[in-house]
Structure formats: structure tokens, C-alpha cells
Amino acid sequence: MTAEAIPLAVAGLSASYGVVPALHDVDLSVRSGQIVTLIGANGAGKSTLIKAVCGLVRPASGTVRLFGEEVTGMSPDRLVRKGLSVVPEGRRLFGEMTLLENLELGAFARNDQAAVRRDLDKVLDLFPELRDRLSTAAGTFSGGQQQMIAVARALMSAPRLLLLDEPTIGLAPAIVDRIAELITHIAGTGVNILLVEQNAETALAVADYAYILEGGAIVAHDGARVLANSPEIQRAYLGI
């Protein structure tokens, strides 16, 4: 596989907050057609990695390449135009705005209005419970529904690579299962996915490949099924 075919390639990435190190020489990649998960406890550096990939944190060293192009430190709006979209931790919807307005904001970088309208229909087919509530303020939806809106908004940018930062945090088990199904479905449409999760059981169940982050460094990586069956991983992350 050529470098140009790799949706995301992170190499030697280190980052700090002031004098406090957060990431140490991280290598990670998402190959075409993959769901890749990054697992780690609170404070392991997962969100810092997402922010570094998205241009919100400037790395001290290392590179980020998107579909073969180096994009290290590039602004988030430019990255959206290059096919990257993020569902941030905590959803970060505009609560006073309607559901439709939030979805339209997801397509801010697009000029193909006919295609945007088609994608809006596709997104609402994916989340049928939202279709009849387009004029409802986003902040009035339940936590699980707000997570669905956040995913729908990200899809409205027509991404080639989707980053999901803790999409199941704080959700009821039934909603977690629904989000897991949606991730698998989205990947089946040709969108490459990096899933950042504390819920290791769900993450390893849906992913093709997995990385374990501890103390800002990658301490293990392998096929998701291989790691799920590792006694060490089971003890540390799966409560087995």
C-alpha cells in the first residue's frame, strides 16, 4: 500500500502543555477501509492526540499526514476541506440552535448544495428518529440523541476520515450498542474511522486494529481481536 493510500499516518508525535509532556513519540496509522481504535485511561493522552491531529495542539515534534499530505499543525477548517471530520468529546452542539441548523453547520465548507441536500436525506435515513424534529433546539434532546446529532453533523461534511472522541461516554448500554452499530455502518459506506475510547470492550468489538496508550506513549498495538483475547489486556482494560 502506498503512502498516498493511507488516510492517516502519525509519526514520532510528541506534544506538551507548557512544560508538562502529554505525548511521547507516538506512531499510529489508519489504513484504507479500517476502523482503528485508540484505547487508554483518563489522562493517557488520547484527547491530546486528537487535538494534535486536528490542528488544535501544535506538536513539539513529529508529523501528521492525511491521505499522503503532511498537515502537521494545519488549521481545523482547512483539514475539514481535506476530508477530516471530528465528533468531539462532549458533543459540543449549539444547544440554542435547531437540529437542522446544527446539521447545516456541519456542511459549512461545502459549496455543492445539491449534494448537501442529498447527504442530509442520507443522514436522516441513518437517524430516522431525528427526521421529524429538525426545528427542535438541539439542547433539548437526550444525551444519546445529542450524540447522534453530533455524528450526523460530522457526516454532513462528507468526510473521508472520521475521528470519534469518546462517543459512548456517559450513555446507557442500549445507546452504546446503537452507537457501535452506527460506527460499523458508517465504515461500510467507505469512511475511514479513528475511534478514541475508554470503553475498551465496545472499541475492540467494532475495530479492525487497536492501539493502547498509557502515559502519552503507545504501549501495545495489534489486531483488535488479538488484543481482546490477550490476558494482559483483559485484566487491564476489560475487567476480566
Side-chain angles (χ1 to χ4, degrees):
M1 183 176 292
T2 65
E4 289 72 22
I6 298 176
L8 178 66
V10 174
L13 199 70
S14 297
S16 301
Y17 292 111
V19 297
V20 181
L23 295 175
H24 313 278
D25 198 26
V26 171
D27 293 340
L28 176 149
S29 64
V30 177
R31 294 183 175 270
S32 184
Q34 280 190 326
I35 301 173
V36 172
T37 189
L38 178 68
I39 297 168
N42 243 346
K46 304 187 304 300
S47 290
T48 303
L49 179 62
I50 289 286
K51 290 175 181 176
V53 170
C54 297
L56 296 173
V57 169
R58 182 137 192 112
S61 60
T63 59
V64 178
R65 301 184 73 85
L66 190 65
F67 299 100
E69 177 185 357
E70 183 171 348
V71 297
T72 313
M74 187 175 288
S75 65
D77 62 306
R78 291 181 64 194
L79 290 170
V80 169
R81 290 177 169 86
K82 293 183 179 296
L84 176 67
S85 191
V86 183
V87 179
E89 182 181 358
R91 301 179 282 272
R92 299 184 191 174
L93 301 178
F94 293 91
E96 299 300 318
M97 297 174 65
T98 67
L99 164 59
L100 179 59
E101 288 168 336
N102 273 271
L103 296 182
E104 289 172 340
L105 280 175
F108 79 93
R110 300 176 62 181
N111 297 316
D112 50 341
Q113 293 306 309
V116 168
R117 288 192 295 273
R118 288 195 297 272
D119 284 348
L120 177 60
D121 273 337
K122 290 178 183 177
V123 162
L124 294 174
D125 285 343
L126 193 58
F127 303 96
E129 60 267 60
L130 302 179
R131 184 177 288 275
D132 294 331
R133 301 186 64 186
L134 290 174
S135 61
T136 303
T140 65
F141 286 81
S142 69
Q145 290 170 331
Q146 287 189 30
Q147 187 63 64
M148 293 176 194
I149 295 169
V151 174
R153 180 180 61 185
L155 292 176
M156 287 299 296
S157 71
R160 294 186 290 160
L161 174 64
L162 180 64
L163 274 57
L164 295 155
D165 191 1
E166 305 283 8
T168 70
I169 192 167
L171 299 182
I175 304 299
V176 171
D177 291 343
R178 174 77 193 284
I179 296 296
E181 291 172 0
L182 287 168
I183 291 169
T184 301
H185 177 85
I186 292 165
T189 67
V191 179
N192 308 287
I193 293 176
L194 176 60
L195 169 64
V196 177
E197 264 290 352
Q198 285 188 60
N199 185 336
E201 183 177 3
T202 296
L204 291 173
V206 302
D208 302 298
Y209 201 85
Y211 293 82
I212 308 295
L213 191 68
E214 289 183 8
I218 299 294
V219 296
H221 61 93
D222 210 325
R225 304 298 177 271
V226 174
L227 290 183
N229 291 321
S230 161
E232 183 179 355
I233 299 301
Q234 289 177 349
R235 285 192 299 271
Y237 294 96
L238 299 178
I240 299 174

